[in-house]
Amino acid sequence: MNMTVEQALSVYPLSEGRLIAGRDGAARIVKSVNVMDAPDITEWIKDGEMLFTTAYVMKDRPEEAIDLLRKLHARGSAGLGIKLGRFWTNVPQSIVEEADRLGFPLIELPYQFTFSDQMNGLFHAELERNTRSLQRLLEKQKKLMQFALGAQSDSMFFEQVQAIVETPFAVVSSRGHLIYNATSYGDKQLLEGWPWREGVRRLRAGGGEMYRVPVEYKRECIGYAVFGRHEVALMKEEEGLFVQTAEILAHHLSCIYRDELERSLNRDLGGMFARYLSQDVPVGMLTAQMEDLGIRVLGGSYQCVLTKVMSGVDGAHREVIKAVREELEYNPAFRELEVVHFVVGNGVFSIFRGDEWAVSGKLPDIMNRALGCMLDKGILPQIRMSVSNKKTKPAVLRQAYMECSEAFELAERLGVADKVVRFESVELAYVFRHVPTNEMRTYGQEVLAELLAKDPDYAHEMLRTLEAFLEHDGQVNEAAKHLFVHRNTVAYRLEKIGEILGADFKKMNDLLRLKLAFMFRRMLDERDSE
């Protein structure tokens, strides 16, 4: 048996009864019906079982009936039906109130019908319902097969499959990214227990069930299909339909998200981009090919990101880069963004359409979240990202790529430990990288001379404070957090530093001179270590 309490109450002769309490539990699933003939019945009640009773064992002790309700509720019973007339003329109010509090269905059974009459009615109704359901299931399987033979892998593919199977489902990639979700379950609930290592699984979820099927292509798991719905439990016979659906989804995913996408972007577009970098083709040919593929990320402002697989990676280097690209493709941080990713050299180059953050400059924050998603799952910790400045013309795409490449080298020279490096944070070093060593040393000593002449310990502490202040864009609070001191301590030190160096931290010229002095000191340290 597999019907809700509400559906059971519509079946004759149980329909002659009435639900007197616990309406919040009307969606509970009735899997079987039992008759209470012993006070210890609760020890044998199964999940989803509805209990019928004449109230004989509790007729003089309503408090025992309340205790019975609580035990039945705790064991997952579907409800309690009480036949009035022999021992109770009505159900005591205290019992009704407790059933309402628990949300446990309490039914007043019709006196003129025996328990067997009501149970037979439910069993016959369930048989007829199952017969109709099996007929509909067979029709769905036929339609699904016909659809698979003639389907095109377009953007509405999932919705078309959904319309046939009539059971909400979600599609999860092999790396735990939600690709499609028509269920009423949220991301967190659907992905509970990730990563999954089991095969086909039937799971309880909220007020319903989920059925999870691996999506396999060429004996490799490329994702999962998760079927589920609230209130109405899944039929055992539906499992075949779900497995069949997963097979069709496997073909679709392999075509759209692997073969087709990888071939067109990584080979054609990636190859064209490599030729553009080597100046073999003009930018117009590259943008034209992107337009043909429906990629319009260069249609306005844009920013670029280079995700680099660092040296020392074990195993097949190409496979590692391929996995990085797949992570970026399905990463939930990019779900609402217009972006294209393709493999180039020893990493993945991404172009983000930048209209959304033309003012806010939030792309580095988004990349940090994306990187966090990978690190949280223990994926590829040996990668690093660099972000170019915002661009407005396709003609400077090569410059954006060079900014990303230079950012890695400059960050290493300057000792920048950030996993996501903004080119703008090392841009000054890029501009002044060819300044002779003696000029760098002379400039730094002149700007900081008065402070360097102080007691070494005092000078060291003040230099640390000033450097932290400059590195955090003049934000006293952030500098204090970095130094693990109170903001008033930082403010006091800066006041003293200003007096010693004759610097006004509100003047851009003074800040720039100090910034250059510290940058030259780091560059000199790097040159001295070579």
Side-chain angles (χ1 to χ4, degrees):
M1 190 177 298
N2 193 358
M3 66 176 72
T4 66
V5 172
E6 187 176 19
Q7 289 171 334
L9 284 168
S10 67
V11 176
Y12 186 83
L14 187 58
S15 57
E16 297 298 306
R18 64 190 184 95
L19 183 65
I20 60 175
R23 295 185 183 279
D24 290 344
R28 294 191 183 206
I29 300 299
V30 181
K31 297 180 180 178
S32 60
V33 181
N34 201 351
V35 176
M36 179 179 177
D37 57 3
D40 61 348
I41 186 67
T42 55
E43 301 301 322
W44 314 104
I45 285 291
K46 301 174 184 177
D47 180 66
E49 193 165 44
M50 178 176 282
L51 186 63
F52 287 174
T53 182
T54 59
Y56 171 74
V57 298
M58 52 189 175
K59 65 181 188 305
D60 300 321
R61 296 180 294 277
E63 65 279 1
E64 291 188 4
I66 292 177
D67 185 55
L68 174 65
L69 287 182
R70 292 170 179 167
K71 289 181 178 179
L72 292 176
H73 175 68
R75 293 188 66 87
S77 171
L80 176 65
I82 300 177
K83 188 173 184 179
L84 301 179
R86 293 187 62 189
F87 303 107
W88 277 353
T89 56
N90 55 67
V91 178
Q93 186 61 29
S94 60
I95 299 175
V96 172
E97 290 174 356
E98 182 64 12
D100 277 331
R101 187 187 71 81
L102 295 172
F104 183 78
L106 188 61
I107 303 167
E108 181 184 308
L109 299 176
Y111 179 77
Q112 65 271 34
F113 297 102
T114 64
F115 288 158
S116 60
D117 289 337
Q118 296 169 71
M119 294 167 68
N120 286 335
L122 291 176
F123 295 145
H124 284 303
E126 179 66 8
L127 178 61
E128 292 178 4
R129 193 174 73 89
N130 281 343
T131 301
R132 291 192 300 269
S133 296
L134 289 173
Q135 290 174 341
R136 287 197 301 270
L137 188 61
L138 182 60
E139 287 299 316
K140 290 178 185 179
Q141 290 177 323
K142 289 180 179 178
K143 288 180 180 179
L144 198 58
M145 184 59 66
Q146 292 169 352
F147 172 77
L149 293 174
Q152 300 295 320
S153 293
D154 57 30
S155 60
M156 296 297 293
F157 185 91
F158 294 131
E159 287 79 3
Q160 292 169 341
V161 174
Q162 170 76 45
I164 295 173
V165 298
E166 296 180 344
T167 297
F169 67 85
V171 180
V172 180
S173 79
S174 60
R175 295 193 174 275
H177 298 146
L178 201 59
I179 300 171
Y180 172 79
N181 184 14
T183 73
S184 57
Y185 300 111
D187 294 21
K188 185 176 180 180
Q189 194 170 12
L190 279 170
L191 295 174
E192 184 177 353
W194 181 266
W196 302 322
R197 289 182 172 82
E198 308 95 340
V200 176
R201 293 279 291 174
R202 193 180 184 113
L203 308 166
R204 291 293 299 271
E209 290 182 314
M210 290 195 297
Y211 191 80
R212 189 171 68 218
V213 187
V215 177
E216 297 181 346
Y217 181 71
K218 295 182 178 180
R219 297 185 179 181
E220 179 184 358
C221 179
I222 61 174
Y224 294 86
V226 184
F227 301 83
R229 57 185 173 224
H230 287 288
E231 300 180 356
V232 181
L234 301 173
M235 293 177 57
K236 179 70 175 177
E237 293 76 13
E238 287 181 287
E239 295 178 8
L241 177 68
F242 298 156
V243 172
Q244 182 182 352
T245 303
E247 291 173 353
I248 293 172
L249 293 176
H251 177 72
H252 175 69
L253 288 177
S254 67
C255 288
I256 291 297
Y257 295 103
R258 283 183 170 228
D259 301 341
E260 212 169 86
L261 189 61
E262 196 169 292
R263 183 171 60 252
S264 63
L265 297 185
N266 290 349
R267 186 192 66 193
D268 299 337
L269 189 55
M272 179 67 77
F273 183 75
R275 293 177 63 194
Y276 164 71
L277 289 180
S278 62
Q279 301 185 8
D280 289 341
V281 298
V283 71
M285 289 184 63
L286 177 63
T287 54
Q289 184 171 3
M290 294 175 76
E291 286 286 339
D292 290 342
L293 292 171
I295 300 169
R296 299 176 178 82
V297 292
L298 298 178
S301 61
Y302 62 92
Q303 267 182 290
C304 300
V305 175
L306 183 59
T307 304
K308 187 176 180 181
V309 178
M310 309 307 291
S311 59
V313 177
D314 296 327
H317 196 70
R318 182 175 296 180
E319 289 302 312
V320 174
I321 295 174
K322 183 180 176 182
V324 171
R325 187 206 173 283
E326 186 176 335
E327 270 298 313
L328 293 171
E329 182 67 35
Y330 295 128
N331 202 292
F334 307 144
R335 191 172 296 167
E336 305 300 326
L337 303 181
E338 192 171 348
V339 57
V340 60
H341 313 278
F342 49 87
V343 173
V344 55
N346 64 339
V348 179
F349 189 71
S350 308
I351 306 173
F352 289 82
R353 185 162 184 150
D355 298 341
E356 294 89 347
W357 52 79
V359 178
S360 62
K362 66 180 181 181
L363 185 58
D365 294 334
I366 296 174
M367 299 312 299
N368 269 307
R369 290 204 302 273
L371 190 58
C373 290
M374 300 185 201
L375 297 181
D376 286 345
K377 294 188 290 184
I379 296 173
L380 305 171
Q382 63 277 42
I383 64 176
R384 200 175 188 186
M385 297 175 174
S386 61
V387 183
S388 75
N389 287 339
K390 184 169 67 72
K391 307 299 179 185
T392 57
K393 297 178 181 179
V396 293
L397 178 60
R398 185 182 292 107
Q399 180 183 336
Y401 177 80
M402 296 306 297
E403 288 178 359
C404 290
S405 298
E406 290 284 349
F408 286 123
E409 183 179 346
L410 291 168
E412 187 173 348
R413 287 186 178 183
L414 298 174
V416 177
D418 297 341
K419 284 288 188 179
V420 178
V421 182
R422 296 173 295 130
F423 178 74
E424 64 180 24
S425 69
V426 295
E427 194 167 6
L428 282 177
Y430 175 76
V431 172
F432 292 100
R433 67 192 185 283
H434 297 306
V435 175
T437 298
N438 61 328
E439 292 187 17
M440 285 188 183
R441 184 169 286 111
T442 298
Y443 185 86
Q445 289 174 346
E446 287 181 355
V447 172
L448 301 173
E450 297 297 328
L451 191 55
L452 293 171
K454 298 293 183 181
D455 176 77
D457 291 339
Y458 178 82
H460 175 73
E461 194 63 42
M462 291 303 199
L463 287 170
R464 276 187 70 234
T465 302
L466 180 55
E467 186 172 21
F469 175 72
L470 295 170
E471 285 300 315
H472 290 87
D473 299 321
Q475 298 182 50
V476 175
N477 287 338
E478 294 302 316
K481 290 179 184 177
H482 177 78
L483 296 169
F484 300 102
V485 298
H486 195 276
R487 73 176 310 278
N488 291 344
T489 302
V490 174
Y492 173 77
R493 290 177 183 175
L494 289 173
E495 183 180 351
K496 292 299 180 184
I497 292 169
E499 293 174 0
I500 294 170
L501 298 179
D504 185 347
F505 296 123
K506 294 181 181 179
K507 291 183 178 180
M508 182 62 68
N509 190 54
D510 286 2
L511 289 172
L512 181 58
R513 291 176 68 247
L514 292 169
K515 183 81 172 178
L516 284 173
F518 278 99
M519 185 187 71
F520 286 158
R521 284 166 63 89
R522 289 197 300 272
M523 294 176 74
L524 286 169
D525 288 342
E526 190 272 333
R527 290 184 184 182
D528 291 341
S529 65
E530 291 179 348

